[in-house]
Amino acid sequence: MPTDTHLPRILIVDDEPAIQRFLKTALSNGEFSLSQAENGHAALATAVATKPDVILLDLGLPDMDGVEVIDRIRQWSQVPIIVLSVRDRETDKVRALDSGADDYLTKPFGVGELLARIRVMLRRSLQQTPEPVYRIDELEVDLARRLVLLRGEEISLTPTEYDVLRLFVINAGKVLTHRQILKQIWGSAYLEQPHILRVNVSNLRHKLETDASRPRYILTESGVGYRFKSES
Amino acid sequence: MSMPQNDMRPSPEAMLKAAQAEEREGKRGRLKIFMGYAAGVGKTYTMLKVAGQLKLEGRDVVAAYVESHGRAETDALLEGLEILPKAQYDYQGVLLPELDIDATLARKAEIVLVDELAHTNVPGSRHEKRWQDIEELLAAGIDVYTTVNVQHFDSQSDIVTQITGVAVQETVPDSMLDQAAEIMLVDIPPEELLERLRQGKVYISEQATWAAQNFFRPGNLIALREVALRRTAAKVDDEMRSYMETRAIPGPWPATERLLVCASGSPFSEKLIRTTRRLAEELKAGWFTVYIETPSHARQQQENRERIWRDLRLAESLGAEVATITASSVAEAIIEYAQRHNVTRIVVGKPAKSRWRELFRPPIVDQIIRLSGAIDVHVVSINVASLNLVSRIFHRKPDVPWFDYLASLALVTGATVLLSLVQPFQSPTNMVMIYLLAVVVAAFRLGLRPAVLTAALGVLAFDFFFIPPRWSFKVQDTEYLFTFFGLFIVGVVISTLVAKASERSEVMRERELQTESLYYLTRDLATAADMSSIMAAVLKNISETLEAQLVVLVPQGEQMEVSTISKDLILDDKELAVADWSFRNHREAGVSTETLSSAKLLYLPLHTSSCFLGVLGVKLANMSEYHSPHNRRLLDAFVTQISLAMERVLLAQQAEHALVLQARESLERALLNSISHDLRTPLVSIIGALSSLRDENLQVNDRRRHDLLSGAWDEAERLNRFVGNLLDMTRVEAGELRMQKVPCDVQDLIGCALAALDQRLEGREVKVTLAADMPFVSMDVVLMNQVLINLLDNALKYTPTGSSIEILAQASPQHLLVEVLDRGPGIPEHDLKRIFDKFYRLPVPEGVHGTGLGLSICKGIVEAHGGSIWAENRTGGGLRIAIHLPL
């Protein structure tokens, strides 16, 4: 296996040979160095051996639950994990995200989408210190000065709305589950009260979005959580 | 041949009868009876010899119950045979051997030997009598050889008693003899029998010795032998007759006669019934036994009711058709029944009533004769002397409580006091009215006899207190004697009339109650749509009417399971076994019957002409309740009604099941068609496009390459959507919509759907109109999102590019209304409802492919939310699909 230390390392974990082959072909553009595993145990072993920069993990593995694989990896590494899952298993996705997965993709997916997600992950893991100012399209969030500008005009937010927006922009491009947001902003006691989050998101949208019915910044991942539009 | 052919042909009825008999014989075991005229003629010995012969021929013969009484010859014969172990029953501390019926059934031998057909089993056995055990063996298809003496047959027992003076305790219904395939008369001359007796070769139990001394006299034995020979000859005669009938041998066949006898609860009834049976047999006639229940009979003592019950059972076992009728006049009811059933002869007993009563009411016999018209009446004499003893017991009138008589005394006293107050102003003749009033009150309130007493006391009081000379019974004016006589006679007549009227109204009331309880049960059963509501109706109505505890058991595989049961009733294993027996043998069992009568409940099989459904178990307050004809009639009616209702529900269930199966089949076929079509079509373009690109020989320019790829891409997307729809559908179908309802922002919901369709919208304008201050609505976001996606997807597919699509949402305090509107071609009115059916596809412009699943998934999801979805055409063209969700 050619190991170029400069190239980002990607570990592909999937038990379907067809999907393995497809992913290998799609990602063999010289941009990444690839390693593969067909089951949970092999995935854990390879992860320890190759120290990948991103892991693509299928949740339906023959030998162990994908969520358990995430748990085990999280015990020693914060490597970004993108979960690949079939449709209609929202609860599985949420479980995986709550366990520490960073993002998910629903099969079938396009290669463009996959590459975009991988790049977001790689960028986030390379970026060590959070930048004080985020610029996304016409929105500018200055974390140091607690200032939110839309098309250059200051938007006034409640302290909670600002906290939610701050969490979104720090994690721009990444899915945040309802529980993750609730826990960060309101604390563990509010985990089962997602409506306070919905109310704040609804208010934020009315303040930030041109058409709240077709949001551009705060995107809803149905049944899972939210994803803030990433830069670029 | 001089006779027309068809006259020689057997009648269809006769052929049918013969065929039925043959068929019955095919299934049932054959009964062979070794009949003798007394103990010691060698029945058991003969039976064993025959059995030994069969054994030698290789037949499977076993001795299930044979008593050798220690005789060496008999024991020797037994040795060659397989002997089944006997059951041991504990009766008052003594273990008594009995036929082990279960072991015998389990052994499934070809021929089983069971001695002593007339034996009465130890209490606690399954059946009261051994002949019932044998019935069960025959029903199981086992051939039975048995022995019996002629005096044990029901119809012969009273003749034998007359001859010998020894009462026959153990009797067997004549039907056993009738159904026997073969009868073997074991006969030795009486002299020889007496000789064997003297040599001690005849076994007589100790208790029977005294009777035996009376029994074994040459005169008796000769007479008994004659009875046995005659009975056997009669059986042979029957066979001959049926042979001639089936072979169409011409002969003088008597016209069908029908006989009727009335069971009255008197001690003569039994004799009357036996006489009628003999008469019926001689005439080859069918016969009926009826019991007419009058209000006075209804009050009869328990003992007498049980006797009536026994009489009816006896008649039934002798082959009569039995009925109980409620009426106020015995004679009228008998005649009415007789006419309805084309009875040709009525058998009645000669009356034994004393003369003076006939002055008031003609005896029933006279009434019957007067009313009988074309029906013959046979009057049978009854030996009164032998019955005096019992008649005293059974003819005792119901007791009137002593305080009723006291009350009549009080009435007369009251009238007298009242009269003494008005005496100065009234003439004595007017005073009579007040006494008459007292009589009327007594008749109404106290019944006949206290009223008559009141009349008598009234006369005496009138004489003593008011007729000069007062304070004495002497009468000066003889005119008053007429007044006395008039007062008494009018008093008695009034009493009788009033008493009769109240008796009638009592009959009416009882009938009304009966009709009412039947009506309520029938009504509840008619509305019952399933087994559990039938059971609830049964429990409620029957336990109320009969004040009974009850249980209904239905078969579940091999077992009987309780379907419903009264609250405090507990069924142990033994009761379950009785219920099981009743179900399997289609006969009643348990308390008050002859089968397993030690059970606590009476079990009645529930069946209709076509199927056996279960068993009704009833526990009444006390023994006499079981024997009451009133209760039996009600129970019979209840059983019929319950059975019919159960059958109706079962049939409905079967029909429904068949319908569901049919619907599922046609759905599966449609699904298969749809899947094979919808899965293959996209694959055609995908594989086609890929093969063109892969084949290096084909010169594919950039433009064609792009076309092929985008075609394959679209088809792949479509395939993906279809598979998604199928998955959703399966989840809706399987009821696996485990909904996770959370309060949801409707705007967010719409936004999500639009985002999901972003690529397909291709810049098409979708106008979203949301009412201000929309509340959060509780719903499963993912599923409702799918509903909106499907609706928008349809709107995109079926409308021309560029036409407008709108989403409207508004809320009332109770409901959320979401509408998706387009300006497409709309849908024909008659299809508006059907578009939500599975695999329903509208004929659409070419190039548009639907799965026929999208809208039915929407419907499934919306309905799972307790909401509704419907479609309508818009004025000005286009379709409006609306979703209504409760808040």
Side-chain angles (χ1 to χ4, degrees):
Chain A
M1 194 180 276
T3 45
D4 191 326
T5 43
H6 301 296
L7 292 180
R9 293 177 299 275
I10 298 182
L11 169 60
I12 303 169
V13 186
D14 200 307
D15 60 317
E16 286 286 337
I19 292 176
Q20 283 272 12
R21 203 172 110 196
F22 156 66
L23 287 175
K24 202 175 160 189
T25 315
L27 299 177
S28 298
N29 53 358
E31 210 177 319
F32 312 106
S33 143
L34 303 175
S35 52
Q36 292 175 311
E38 280 83 31
N39 56 52
H41 291 104
L44 289 171
T46 319
V48 174
T50 62
K51 300 264 164 50
D53 296 304
V54 172
I55 297 176
L56 301 181
L57 174 69
D58 179 38
L59 282 183
L61 292 175
D63 58 340
M64 60 200 287
D65 186 1
V67 175
E68 200 186 329
V69 177
I70 298 171
D71 280 339
R72 298 244 195 123
I73 291 175
R74 279 291 170 262
Q75 284 171 13
W76 57 271
S77 166
Q78 289 302 314
V79 56
I81 299 174
I82 301 176
V83 165
L84 309 177
S85 84
V86 289
R87 204 188 134 171
D88 299 327
R89 303 293 298 268
E90 279 76 17
T91 45
D92 286 354
K93 288 178 207 159
V94 175
R95 262 175 67 224
L97 291 168
D98 283 340
S99 298
D102 295 86
D103 207 341
Y104 73 87
L105 264 176
T106 302
K107 293 178 188 172
F109 47 80
V111 177
E113 210 174 348
L114 175 65
L115 287 173
R117 296 288 166 86
I118 292 174
R119 284 182 190 126
V120 169
M121 289 303 140
L122 286 174
R123 191 161 61 233
R124 291 175 49 73
S125 59
L126 293 174
Q127 185 179 41
Q128 292 306 320
T129 48
E131 276 184 31
V133 180
Y134 284 84
R135 283 188 193 83
I136 302 153
D137 294 352
E138 298 165 316
L139 183 71
E140 191 179 322
V141 182
D142 187 336
L143 295 181
R145 294 159 58 205
R146 287 180 76 93
L147 203 60
V148 181
L149 299 171
L150 185 65
R151 288 182 286 274
E153 283 178 41
E154 190 181 338
I155 306 280
S156 90
L157 298 177
T158 66
T160 313
E161 285 165 9
Y162 176 78
D163 286 345
V164 174
L165 181 63
R166 180 174 172 276
L167 187 64
F168 278 147
V169 293
I170 292 173
N171 293 288
K174 180 175 182 267
V175 186
L176 293 172
T177 67
H178 296 128
R179 289 168 68 90
Q180 286 171 340
I181 304 170
L182 285 166
K183 194 175 171 185
Q184 292 247 4
I185 310 288
W186 285 276
S188 303
Y190 287 82
L191 284 183
E192 301 307 324
Q193 298 184 26
H195 66 279
I196 56 169
L197 171 59
R198 289 173 212 275
V199 173
N200 278 284
V201 168
S202 174
N203 291 343
L204 265 177
R205 279 187 178 142
H206 281 107
K207 289 177 182 175
L208 303 180
E209 308 278 4
T210 335
D211 179 359
S213 295
R214 305 186 72 166
R216 285 162 59 205
Y217 298 111
I218 307 172
L219 308 174
T220 299
E221 294 286 330
S222 189
V224 178
Y226 299 100
R227 182 198 301 276
F228 203 80
K229 191 178 190 304
S230 62
E231 302 165 66
S232 80
Chain B
M1 228 179 275
S2 60
M3 262 219 202
Q5 273 257 316
N6 54 353
D7 275 0
M8 299 298 290
R9 229 175 262 155
S11 73
E13 288 79 15
M15 293 291 282
L16 187 65
K17 255 163 77 183
Q20 280 171 344
E22 270 167 32
E23 193 185 342
R24 221 182 5 257
E25 292 207 332
K27 279 188 227 149
R28 281 178 66 93
R30 289 161 56 91
L31 177 65
K32 179 164 181 166
I33 297 179
F34 293 82
M35 188 157 83
Y37 64 90
V41 294
K43 299 178 298 289
T44 307
Y45 181 81
T46 313
M47 177 171 80
L48 288 174
K49 277 196 96 160
V50 172
Q53 191 59 41
L54 288 171
K55 186 86 187 172
L56 285 180
E57 288 168 20
R59 310 279 291 276
D60 182 18
V61 188
V62 302
Y65 192 99
V66 175
E67 197 60 72
S68 71
H69 301 301
R71 272 168 293 186
E73 304 144 298
T74 316
D75 277 335
L77 285 174
L78 263 175
E79 263 167 31
L81 289 170
E82 175 185 348
I83 301 170
L84 295 181
K86 290 167 187 168
Q88 300 285 339
Y89 285 95
D90 181 13
Y91 183 62
Q92 298 180 346
V94 185
L95 278 183
L96 295 172
E98 283 294 349
L99 169 69
D100 188 339
I101 179 130
D102 288 318
T104 312
L105 284 169
R107 171 63 179 77
K108 285 188 180 143
E110 185 190 348
I111 300 164
V112 160
L113 309 182
V114 184
D115 217 353
E116 290 296 333
L117 176 62
H119 173 77
T120 300
N121 290 337
V122 177
S125 313
R126 181 183 302 177
H127 299 291
E128 205 175 294
K129 304 279 194 176
R130 180 164 295 157
W131 65 263
Q132 292 167 315
D133 294 339
I134 291 177
E135 277 270 279
E136 201 171 331
L137 293 175
L138 292 171
I142 299 169
D143 290 356
V144 179
Y145 285 16
T146 186
T147 64
V148 73
N149 284 328
V150 68
Q151 66 263 34
H152 291 298
F153 285 103
D154 263 332
S155 63
Q156 311 296 323
S157 67
D158 60 337
I159 300 176
V160 172
T161 305
Q162 273 174 15
I163 296 171
T164 62
V166 177
V168 178
Q169 303 291 343
E170 302 182 321
T171 61
V172 176
D174 284 60
S175 60
M176 289 303 286
L177 192 56
D178 295 341
Q179 66 162 294
E182 228 180 301
I183 292 178
M184 187 158 180
L185 185 68
V186 182
D187 185 45
I188 56 171
E191 299 79 38
E192 205 172 303
L193 176 59
L194 287 169
E195 180 57 34
R196 291 182 60 176
L197 188 68
R198 268 191 294 277
Q199 291 172 0
K201 284 185 179 171
V202 177
Y203 170 81
I204 299 157
S205 65
E206 267 175 50
Q207 311 95 288
T209 319
W210 69 271
Q213 280 163 0
N214 280 331
F215 197 84
F216 287 96
R217 283 183 307 195
N220 278 353
L221 293 179
I222 292 166
L224 281 172
R225 192 181 181 202
E226 190 192 332
V227 170
L229 290 169
R230 261 219 294 234
R231 192 65 190 82
T232 316
K235 169 77 179 169
V236 173
D237 202 29
D238 274 353
E239 277 164 10
M240 184 64 184
R241 201 188 278 259
S242 73
Y243 177 83
M244 284 166 79
E245 255 184 278
T246 42
R247 300 299 187 282
I249 296 165
W253 308 122
T256 320
E257 293 253 16
R258 283 157 180 256
L259 273 59
L260 181 142
V261 66
C262 184
S264 64
S266 90
F268 322 130
S269 290
E270 189 181 332
K271 175 164 175 154
L272 271 180
I273 289 167
R274 289 186 191 283
T275 308
T276 312
R277 145 89 197 190
R278 269 200 304 277
L279 201 57
E281 204 175 347
E282 280 167 27
L283 293 169
K284 284 282 144 206
W287 61 296
F288 303 88
T289 303
V290 293
Y291 167 60
I292 313 290
E293 194 181 32
T294 60
S296 58
H297 282 109
R299 288 195 301 266
Q300 267 168 352
Q301 296 153 298
Q302 193 176 317
E303 215 175 335
N304 212 10
R305 288 166 101 182
E306 279 179 28
R307 177 172 270 275
I308 292 164
W309 183 242
R310 271 207 301 276
D311 283 351
L312 291 176
R313 294 297 300 270
L314 169 74
E316 209 166 22
S317 71
L318 289 175
E321 210 168 286
V322 171
T324 305
I325 299 162
T326 307
S328 59
S329 160
V330 174
E332 281 171 26
I334 289 177
I335 296 295
E336 194 198 319
Y337 186 87
Q339 283 167 347
R340 223 166 353 106
H341 290 84
N342 298 320
V343 166
T344 51
R345 300 177 193 218
I346 298 174
V347 179
V348 291
K350 213 174 198 176
K353 276 182 182 166
S354 44
R355 279 277 166 87
W356 71 271
R357 288 195 62 169
E358 293 176 17
L359 283 176
F360 297 96
R361 200 193 297 160
I364 288 170
V365 176
D366 290 1
Q367 295 178 44
I368 292 175
I369 293 172
R370 191 164 45 77
L371 294 167
S372 61
I375 304 170
D376 291 347
V377 179
H378 286 233
V379 182
V380 175
S381 70
I382 290 148
N383 184 357
V384 178
S386 69
L387 296 162
N388 267 349
L389 179 116
V390 261
S391 74
R392 266 208 311 281
I393 301 170
F394 291 109
H395 276 244
R396 212 165 69 203
K397 276 281 169 187
D399 289 333
V400 177
W402 56 270
F403 48 81
D404 279 4
Y405 294 110
L406 220 60
S408 63
L409 187 63
L411 271 174
V412 173
T413 313
T416 308
V417 170
L418 181 70
L419 285 173
S420 63
L421 296 176
V422 300
Q423 193 223 1
F425 322 105
Q426 292 291 327
S427 74
T429 35
N430 286 349
M431 295 177 178
V432 170
M433 299 299 178
I434 303 298
Y435 283 116
L436 274 181
L437 189 68
V439 173
V440 172
V441 171
F444 261 117
R445 291 279 163 192
L446 309 174
L448 177 63
R449 281 189 283 169
V452 172
L453 179 66
T454 310
L457 285 175
V459 170
L460 291 179
F462 181 51
D463 178 12
F464 191 78
F465 293 109
F466 302 110
I467 303 302
R470 297 180 63 191
W471 316 109
S472 125
F473 287 115
K474 280 183 195 150
V475 181
Q476 271 177 352
D477 195 340
T478 46
E479 202 183 309
Y480 283 119
L481 288 179
F482 281 101
T483 319
F484 295 159
F485 186 66
L487 173 57
F488 184 70
I489 292 299
V490 171
V492 169
V493 168
I494 289 177
S495 311
T496 316
L497 287 178
V498 169
K500 213 168 198 171
S502 68
E503 268 186 11
R504 274 218 179 102
S505 70
E506 204 176 311
V507 174
M508 295 300 289
R509 214 192 56 232
E510 188 168 299
R511 237 187 230 170
E512 205 175 297
L513 275 177
Q514 220 167 296
T515 319
E516 200 179 12
S517 49
L518 247 183
Y519 165 74
Y520 284 129
L521 177 67
T522 318
R523 186 196 56 189
D524 288 357
L525 287 179
T527 50
D530 52 31
M531 279 297 167
S532 61
S533 39
I534 287 182
M535 292 307 150
V538 168
L539 203 58
K540 175 171 144 262
N541 285 288
I542 301 187
S543 41
E544 263 175 27
T545 312
L546 295 174
E547 286 170 13
Q549 289 181 305
L550 50 103
V551 60
V552 177
L553 297 124
V554 294
Q556 285 288 336
E558 284 295 293
Q559 301 257 303
M560 295 297 286
E561 273 187 12
V562 171
S563 180
T564 186
I565 189 164
S566 295
K567 236 193 334 201
D568 304 323
L569 192 61
I570 294 160
L571 282 194
D572 54 23
D573 284 351
K574 191 181 154 209
E575 296 292 316
L576 282 174
V578 180
D580 189 67
W581 189 91
S582 166
F583 180 73
R584 285 187 203 296
N585 293 274
H586 311 147
R587 279 174 40 196
E588 54 185 52
V591 62
S592 83
T593 70
E594 288 169 351
T595 303
L596 299 161
S597 55
S598 62
K600 286 204 237 16
L601 275 74
L602 167 65
Y603 295 93
L604 305 166
L606 297 169
H607 62 89
T608 62
S609 51
S610 56
C611 52
F612 292 88
L613 301 150
V615 175
L616 172 71
V618 190
K619 188 180 184 192
L620 299 174
N622 57 55
M623 265 315 276
S624 65
E625 296 282 317
Y626 289 105
H627 294 304
S628 142
H630 165 76
N631 285 348
R632 294 298 308 207
R633 209 160 44 237
L634 263 181
L635 274 175
D636 284 349
F638 285 154
V639 161
T640 311
Q641 292 300 326
I642 299 165
S643 306
L644 287 174
M646 284 172 76
E647 186 188 40
R648 174 172 55 78
V649 166
L650 277 182
L651 290 178
Q653 279 174 358
Q654 281 167 12
E656 199 175 314
H657 189 62
L659 262 184
V660 168
L661 273 185
Q662 205 183 341
R664 186 174 298 165
E665 251 171 48
S666 74
L667 184 68
E668 272 165 9
R669 213 172 307 124
L671 186 69
L672 217 64
N673 288 343
S674 170
I675 289 175
S676 64
H677 175 265
D678 287 298
L679 286 180
R680 283 228 177 86
T681 319
L683 285 175
V684 172
S685 351
I686 296 169
I687 292 173
L690 290 178
S691 62
S692 331
L693 297 176
R694 194 181 172 197
D695 195 332
E696 282 158 15
N697 296 331
L698 285 176
Q699 300 290 317
V700 182
N701 62 25
D702 279 357
R703 197 186 140 70
R704 269 196 68 205
R705 186 185 151 84
H706 176 259
D707 284 353
L708 283 170
L709 277 176
S710 65
W713 172 261
D714 286 349
E715 286 301 288
E717 288 256 279
R718 184 178 140 204
L719 193 57
N720 186 32
R721 274 201 309 280
F722 178 68
V723 172
N725 271 339
L726 271 182
L727 285 175
D728 284 343
M729 196 69 233
T730 329
R731 282 169 63 186
V732 173
E733 289 281 284
E736 227 194 283
L737 282 183
R738 269 164 301 165
M739 299 210 296
Q740 299 180 335
K741 281 187 170 186
V742 285
C744 163
D745 183 357
V746 179
Q747 186 166 43
D748 194 6
L749 181 78
I750 295 170
C752 264
L754 289 173
L757 288 168
D758 199 36
Q759 282 196 312
R760 291 171 39 80
L761 283 169
E762 286 163 355
R764 232 172 115 171
E765 178 85 22
V766 177
K767 193 174 156 203
V768 179
T769 313
L770 274 167
D773 295 332
M774 285 287 288
F776 276 31
V777 181
S778 178
M779 64 176 84
D780 186 311
V781 190
V782 179
L783 293 173
M784 284 311 289
N785 192 24
Q786 192 61 45
V787 171
L788 268 185
I789 290 174
N790 286 359
L791 293 183
L792 286 170
D793 187 48
N794 272 357
L796 286 173
K797 263 193 305 212
Y798 297 113
T799 58
T801 324
S803 66
S804 83
I805 294 175
E806 273 181 83
I807 301 174
L808 295 177
Q810 53 187 300
S812 74
Q814 287 88 34
H815 289 99
L816 167 72
L817 178 70
V818 179
E819 296 164 81
V820 176
L821 308 139
D822 66 41
R823 284 292 179 196
I827 286 171
E829 284 296 323
H830 57 268
D831 281 333
L832 281 174
K833 280 216 173 97
R834 296 183 54 204
I835 57 169
F836 294 102
D837 291 350
K838 226 181 289 178
F839 299 115
Y840 181 77
R841 278 185 252 212
L842 283 169
V844 283
E846 260 183 66
V848 179
H849 303 288
T851 58
L853 279 174
L855 284 177
S856 71
I857 291 169
C858 292
K859 188 169 180 239
I861 293 173
V862 170
E863 283 176 355
H865 279 81
S868 55
I869 183 167
W870 70 95
E872 60 195 38
N873 287 313
R874 298 172 74 187
T875 42
L879 190 69
R880 166 178 181 257
I881 293 187
I883 298 168
H884 213 219
L885 285 186
L887 287 192

